[in-house]
């Protein structure tokens, strides 16, 4: 009886740790895996755990596209004139979070992307003068039915769309394979 009770307590703790820190079952070395980590109630963005192939590098990028962009139109992302790298996945395991914040000095919402190594912000010029809650976050990976996604090592993965009702442009956050081993994200 005591052993059974201790086992139930241990299983509950493992379940809690997996939910709060993400869990990935990486059964293939040639795939990139993404899982969600439990988030705070006030957060509109997401906190994701990535498991990347050991020999590959990826960058989290942001692009501004027009409102007609569809979540599978990756060519538009690659060709977007305002595409910039915010952070790089430089380890096999990485945790990245993104959310909207409000820059009181500039009086505009900003996108904040944070990894264990760095924090980057992005402020679209069209967002100046907008209210803090004006832009909305649309998470493009839905974890309500699945615990993790897996993608091919060369796939581009759209993570989130940020839209403001008063603008005809969207801000897209996406993950892209990096071919340059000396890649450094822009500031």
């Amino acid at each position: 009886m005591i052993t059974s009770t201790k086992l139930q307590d241990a299983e509950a703790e493992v379940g809690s740790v997996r939910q709060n820190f993400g869990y990935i079952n990486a059964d293939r070395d040639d795939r990139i895996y993404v899982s969600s980590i439990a988030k705070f109630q006030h957060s509109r963005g997401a906190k994701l755990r990535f498991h990347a192939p050991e020999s590959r590098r990826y960058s989290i990028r942001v692009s501004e596209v027009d409102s007609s962009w569809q979540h599978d139109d990756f060519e538009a992302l690659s060709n977007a004139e305002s595409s910039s790298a915010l952070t790089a996945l430089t380890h096999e395991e990485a945790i990245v979070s993104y959310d909207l914040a409000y820059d009181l000095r500039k009086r505009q919402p900003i996108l904040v992307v944070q990894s264990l190594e760095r924090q980057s912000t992005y402020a679209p010029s069209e967002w100046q003068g907008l209210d803090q809650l004006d832009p909305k976050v649309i998470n493009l990976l839905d974890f309500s039915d699945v615990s993790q996604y897996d993608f091919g090592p060369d796939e581009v993965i759209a993570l989130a769309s940020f839209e403001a009702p008063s603008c005809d442009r969207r801000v897209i956050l996406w993950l892209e394979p990096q071919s340059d081993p000396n890649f450094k994200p822009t500031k």
Side-chain angles (χ1 to χ4, degrees), residues 14-80:
V14 167
S16 175
V17 168
R18 284 183 175 181
Q19 179 183 9
N20 291 327
F21 297 103
Y23 174 74
I24 292 180
N25 181 17
D27 55 357
R28 289 182 54 189
D29 293 338
D30 63 338
R31 307 287 288 171
I32 182 164
Y33 295 89
V34 185
S35 84
S36 177
I37 297 175
K39 61 183 181 179
F40 299 109
Q41 290 182 351
H42 71 276
S43 173
R44 293 184 286 166
K47 190 170 189 179
L48 303 173
R49 178 180 290 277
F50 294 88
H51 178 88
E54 189 175 329
S55 61
R56 301 298 304 262
R57 298 293 175 253
Y58 297 84
S59 63
I60 303 285
R61 301 184 67 83
V62 64
S63 295
E64 289 186 48
V65 296
D66 64 32
S67 58
S68 65
W69 180 82
Q70 299 296 317
H71 74 276
D72 57 353
D73 186 7
F74 297 116
E75 189 172 323
L77 293 178
S78 299
N79 296 330

Side-chain angles (χ1 to χ4, degrees), residues 98-172:
Y98 58 84
D99 205 353
L100 291 176
Y102 195 74
D103 186 332
L104 293 173
R105 191 171 33 91
K106 294 182 180 178
R107 294 180 19 165
Q108 74 179 82
I110 56 173
L111 168 63
V112 179
V113 177
Q114 187 169 356
S115 67
L116 294 175
E117 298 163 347
R118 66 180 284 150
Q119 177 174 312
S120 301
T121 60
Y122 183 80
S125 58
E126 291 87 3
W127 286 7
Q128 285 183 337
L130 292 181
D131 184 77
Q132 183 173 1
L133 298 175
D134 208 10
K136 65 178 180 176
V137 181
I138 300 171
N139 294 304
L140 299 172
L141 295 177
D142 180 12
F143 290 97
S144 59
D145 293 332
V146 297
S147 61
Q148 71 182 34
Y149 286 91
D150 66 295
F151 300 94
D154 297 320
E155 284 188 63
V156 174
I157 305 165
L159 301 173
S161 171
F162 304 87
E163 303 171 10
S166 58
C167 301
D168 68 342
R169 296 184 58 75
R170 297 181 192 178
V171 176
I172 307 299

